[in-house]
Amino acid sequence: MELTDKIYEKYGRTVYRYLLSLTHDENVAEEVTQETFYQALRGIDRFDGSCRLSTWLCAIAKNQLQVYRRKHPEVESFDGFGETSKPPEAYTDTAVSAETEALGRMGEVDLLRKLHELPEPYRELFYLRVFGNLSFKDISTIMGKSENWARVTFYRGKERLRKEIEDERES
């Protein structure tokens, strides 16, 4: 098997799930995944090994999604949870993180609605951490911030989400 095939076989699903968590559209996620690997092969000489290959590929995927959005302005928003959306556990086949388990106690629809209402960067952090099951180090690389920033911002987002849920239950 060729090296490029091995890389795609190993990381293709991770990149696809990451894009699916951002777009909630299987067709767009597949198209951008293909473009991600094409661009990665073209720029493989720029991979310096300072991060994991999966992190580098997700960063390329994020950039390619932005390119896709510019080329397809008729697609209003990838932030909504339409008919193609899936429950949180459908986006990962790895072990359930503590965050996923804790948030899973809420109803899935309530959780997705609340996550959708979170402002950036909290929303993207949750997608990367909970659905993408990425480490804070990987998230910091993708978002171009420090690992500490990713941890603190995720914590603040969790607290904000928890407060909004409590306020809603009290109403």
Side-chain angles (χ1 to χ4, degrees), residues 166-171:
E166 287 173 3
D167 290 348
E168 190 173 278
R169 287 183 181 160
E170 291 174 2
S171 301

Side-chain angles (χ1 to χ4, degrees):
M1 185 182 289
E2 206 173 301
L3 179 61
T4 55
D5 291 338
K6 288 181 182 178
I7 292 172
Y8 185 81
E9 188 175 296
K10 185 171 183 178
Y11 299 108
R13 186 165 169 82
T14 300
V15 171
Y16 173 79
R17 284 192 324 243
Y18 168 62
L19 290 165
L20 186 60
S21 73
L22 294 175
T23 65
H24 310 289
D25 185 313
E26 294 172 354
N27 295 324
V28 172
E30 182 62 36
E31 184 176 336
V32 178
T33 297
Q34 296 301 322
E35 186 62 25
T36 296
F37 279 90
Y38 172 73
Q39 293 300 328
L41 287 174
R42 287 184 59 208
I44 194 70
D45 57 322
R46 292 190 303 256
F47 179 66
D48 61 7
S50 63
C51 63
R52 294 188 325 192
L53 186 57
S54 60
T55 302
W56 183 68
L57 289 168
C58 284
I60 293 171
K62 183 178 178 180
N63 291 334
Q64 289 306 307
L65 181 57
Q66 291 173 347
V67 169
Y68 180 90
R69 286 176 172 168
R70 284 193 297 271
K71 287 182 180 178
H72 299 87
E74 69 277 1
V75 179
E76 286 297 316
S77 172
F78 293 109
D79 297 334
F81 292 92
E83 292 179 20
T84 61
S85 68
K86 297 178 181 173
E89 61 272 8
Y91 293 112
T92 181
D93 58 4
T94 57
V96 178
S97 69
E99 290 86 2
T100 305
E101 187 176 319
L103 293 172
R105 291 185 206 124
M106 298 173 48
E108 288 176 6
V109 173
D110 288 339
L111 168 64
L112 294 174
R113 182 177 51 80
K114 284 295 182 191
L115 287 177
H116 173 69
E117 292 170 357
L118 281 176
E120 292 298 343
Y122 303 119
R123 183 182 325 140
E124 186 171 3
L125 270 167
F126 267 91
Y127 289 156
L128 292 171
R129 180 73 177 162
V130 177
F131 300 137
N133 205 23
L134 294 176
S135 69
F136 288 113
K137 182 176 183 179
D138 291 343
I139 292 169
S140 68
T141 301
I142 290 169
M143 297 187 80
K145 304 281 187 176
S146 71
E147 185 176 346
N148 190 51
W149 176 89
R151 288 179 186 281
V152 169
T153 306
F154 183 79
Y155 174 78
R156 289 177 182 161
K158 245 191 332 188
E159 289 303 307
R160 182 178 184 152
L161 187 61
R162 185 183 342 259
K163 183 177 181 340
E164 288 178 12
I165 291 167
E166 287 173 3
D167 290 348
E168 190 173 278
R169 287 183 181 160
E170 291 174 2
S171 301

